[in-house]
Amino acid sequence: MKKTLLFLSLLFIIQIGISQVGMHFDGTNDYIQTSYRGVTAGNDRTFEAWILIDTGAPTSNLCILDYGANNAYSRNTFMVNGSRRLAFFSGNANLSAPANAIPVNTWTHVAFVLSSGTGYLYINGVQVGTGSLAGVYSPLVGENVKIGQRVAGGNLPFNGNIDEVRIWDVARTAAQITADMNAEFCSLPANLTAYYRLNEGSASGTNTAITSVTDDAGTNNGVINGFALTGTSSNYVTGANLTPGFSKFTYKDSLCNPYTTTGGKTFSTTGVYYDTLSNSVSCDSLIVYDLFFTSVNDSIYQSGNDLISYDTWANHQWIDCNNGNAPITGENSDDFTPTNTGSYAVIVSKGSCSDTSDCISVVINHAGINENSINSYFELYPNPTSSVITIKNIENKNIIGLSILDVTGKTVLNRTNNITSKVNVELLENGVYFMKVMTEEGAATIKFIKN
């Protein structure tokens, strides 16, 4: 039985989001209260989220997230107003996009950036508004980040779906927002200070046992307030359709046997394969195995009294099948010439992989291929022949092997079992051949012509 040598040439790990869900906010009393203080003072910041406004909404302002105090310049109300304008309000420092910029019943990516006192609004990666927000200053006192509702002093409950909420402590560029907005992060980038995937529950399932959402960028988890957590609203719902992000690793190894992955899949032939592993941060790892297998060829052929391995690049050890497969001292090349009649095989190995050939019976005819006294026991007919030649066993000897050699002494046919009196030579080229009929007493060599 053949075994194979595996060169595991390349291993890619591609990470994907497994729970493509978000949360539906009922526009009445649903919100999430996190423990994250937010980016304070006048420092640069970026807010991002995927939102879907329900059909018929908004009839009033809808808050995506907010934190701070209900004072001029102190709050950070990121919202959609009653005219479906994306907006940022901080008391006396406000910024909004054109009317009807946010579509209804469509997942839309929205972002707000504060960069050195200037504000920017983005929809699906495209800038839709900019203006001075030089007065914004978020104090250390006030409320922590809320998702789906503004800080005390007003009531702006969100009516629709929210997914993939991110807060950064840097001003992200339009190129950065566009590059990452369609991917869940499994390897967290720098400066992402709060990250709420909202992947804890199952879409429209019974999620009443869930009381909090996870901050995958830190420890500022959020408490769920007001949600029914059952049915198709006020619950976890199907989220935005995010394209997988990825990270790549390289792994090299040399193996002999078929390869079994950590996920329990077994591969044994060359090709590209996939396996998936779960981890603890709401991401799966999609492992891509690029596998290349090299077979060890244990086949041998006989030329006269020589036994020759087809696998000339491997290591060899010839063995004596009639002596308990004992290694033959010094016989480590790809060919072997026995000095005594017997049965022989070869162990072929590459690295840690090895296989053993079938045993081949060899009858040593010290008289060469010249006719000898044993020839009188056998006759061949018809001779010449074009297809089938018959062996006449005059003395009814026990035939243990049969081979046909060409005029150079090369073996073109070899049989050690299922030997019959009729031999089909139709595929041989026309010419002179010698049939060697091996018995326990020796070998008869009889010339015949194929025409």
Side-chain angles (χ1 to χ4, degrees):
M1 180 180 65
K2 291 187 185 300
K3 299 175 184 175
T4 52
L5 177 65
L6 167 66
F7 297 99
L8 183 54
S9 57
L10 197 59
L11 173 67
F12 298 101
I13 308 290
I14 299 179
Q15 296 179 312
I16 64 174
I18 58 172
S19 300
Q20 291 298 331
V21 297
M23 296 191 75
H24 177 265
F25 295 70
D26 65 5
T28 302
N29 63 342
D30 294 347
Y31 71 97
I32 298 169
Q33 179 63 67
T34 79
S35 59
Y36 180 47
R37 186 65 199 89
V39 181
T40 59
N43 295 317
D44 290 352
R45 66 202 65 176
T46 300
F47 307 154
E48 293 183 69
W50 280 89
I51 63 171
L52 182 151
I53 297 174
D54 284 347
T55 301
T59 58
S60 60
N61 297 342
L62 308 180
C63 182
I64 302 167
L65 69 83
D66 197 4
Y67 68 92
N70 189 33
N71 301 315
Y73 305 112
S74 295
R75 60 187 172 96
N76 292 263
T77 310
F78 184 38
M79 68 180 190
V80 178
N81 73 9
S83 300
R84 288 195 279 118
R85 301 173 186 266
L86 184 66
F88 174 85
F89 273 59
S90 186
N92 292 345
N94 306 318
L95 178 65
S96 63
N100 302 316
I102 302 295
V104 173
N105 204 31
T106 301
W107 278 110
T108 305
H109 184 269
V110 293
F112 164 74
V113 176
L114 179 63
S115 177
S116 300
T118 299
Y120 302 88
L121 294 170
Y122 296 89
I123 297 177
N124 293 326
V126 177
Q127 182 181 312
V128 292
T130 185
S132 175
L133 295 175
V136 171
Y137 190 91
S138 303
L140 292 175
V141 297
E143 295 187 61
N144 294 334
V145 171
K146 288 184 174 182
I147 300 172
Q149 180 60 284
R150 64 155 286 178
V151 296
N155 185 35
L156 307 179
F158 193 85
N159 190 358
N161 301 345
I162 299 178
D163 192 10
E164 199 73 8
V165 178
R166 307 170 182 178
I167 301 177
W168 309 73
D169 63 3
V170 292
R172 303 204 86 208
T173 66
Q176 289 172 324
I177 292 171
T178 302
D180 293 332
M181 69 182 187
N182 291 309
E184 270 194 341
F185 292 121
C186 290
S187 297
L188 298 179
N191 301 111
L192 182 61
T193 56
Y195 183 25
Y196 304 98
R197 305 173 197 268
L198 306 182
N199 283 346
E200 294 77 17
S202 60
S204 301
T206 300
N207 299 297
T208 52
I210 300 174
T211 59
S212 64
V213 300
T214 302
D215 172 17
D216 285 317
T219 59
N220 296 300
N221 299 335
V223 177
I224 296 173
N225 293 271
F227 289 87
L229 296 178
T230 60
T232 58
S233 64
S234 189
N235 192 12
Y236 287 93
V237 294
T238 301
N241 185 18
L242 302 182
T243 302
F246 70 92
S247 56
K248 184 173 69 175
F249 300 85
T250 301
Y251 174 72
K252 294 182 179 180
D253 200 358
S254 295
L255 301 171
C256 175
N257 296 319
Y259 183 77
T260 300
T261 71
T262 304
K265 295 182 180 179
T266 300
F267 306 122
S268 59
T269 57
T270 296
V272 177
Y273 304 97
Y274 303 87
D275 199 6
T276 304
L277 301 176
S278 296
N279 62 29
S280 60
V281 291
S282 301
C283 291
D284 277 358
S285 295
L286 177 64
I287 309 177
V288 183
Y289 296 90
D290 186 0
L291 307 181
F292 178 73
F293 293 81
T294 299
S295 297
V296 173
N297 189 346
D298 67 350
S299 301
I300 60 177
Y301 67 93
Q302 185 174 2
S303 177
N305 291 335
D306 291 337
L307 301 178
I308 304 170
S309 168
Y310 277 101
D311 199 337
T312 58
W313 295 99
N315 296 317
H316 299 80
Q317 174 60 66
W318 293 90
I319 60 176
D320 187 344
C321 299
N322 293 338
N323 188 26
N325 293 334
I328 301 172
T329 303
E331 296 298 341
N332 305 112
S333 66
D334 59 359
D335 67 318
F336 168 55
T337 304
T339 57
N340 299 303
T341 296
S343 182
Y344 303 94
V346 66
I347 300 172
V348 184
S349 60
K350 290 180 179 177
S352 61
C353 181
S354 65
D355 200 8
T356 303
S357 72
D358 294 333
C359 294
I360 301 294
S361 296
V362 178
V363 177
I364 303 300
N365 178 13
H366 295 288
I369 64 172
N370 296 320
E371 294 182 357
N372 53 57
S373 59
I374 299 179
N375 286 12
S376 61
Y377 299 155
F378 301 96
E379 294 180 3
L380 302 178
Y381 67 89
N383 189 3
T385 183
S386 61
S387 57
V388 176
I389 193 165
T390 300
I391 304 171
K392 184 178 181 181
N393 189 348
I394 300 171
E395 297 290 335
N396 197 27
K397 297 294 183 180
N398 182 26
I399 301 175
I400 61 175
L402 182 151
S403 60
I404 296 177
L405 294 74
D406 63 17
V407 292
T408 67
K410 179 181 178 181
T411 300
V412 295
L413 182 148
N414 187 66
R415 292 182 182 172
T416 59
N417 51 46
N418 298 323
I419 300 171
T420 65
S421 61
K422 296 184 182 296
V423 182
N424 192 330
V425 297
E426 187 175 0
L427 297 180
L428 296 180
E429 296 182 0
N430 293 343
V432 177
Y433 294 89
F434 297 88
M435 181 175 290
K436 181 180 290 187
V437 182
M438 288 161 277
T439 72
E440 294 172 350
E441 301 173 24
T445 304
I446 308 166
K447 183 171 68 176
F448 71 94
I449 297 173
K450 163 66 171 49
N451 59 18

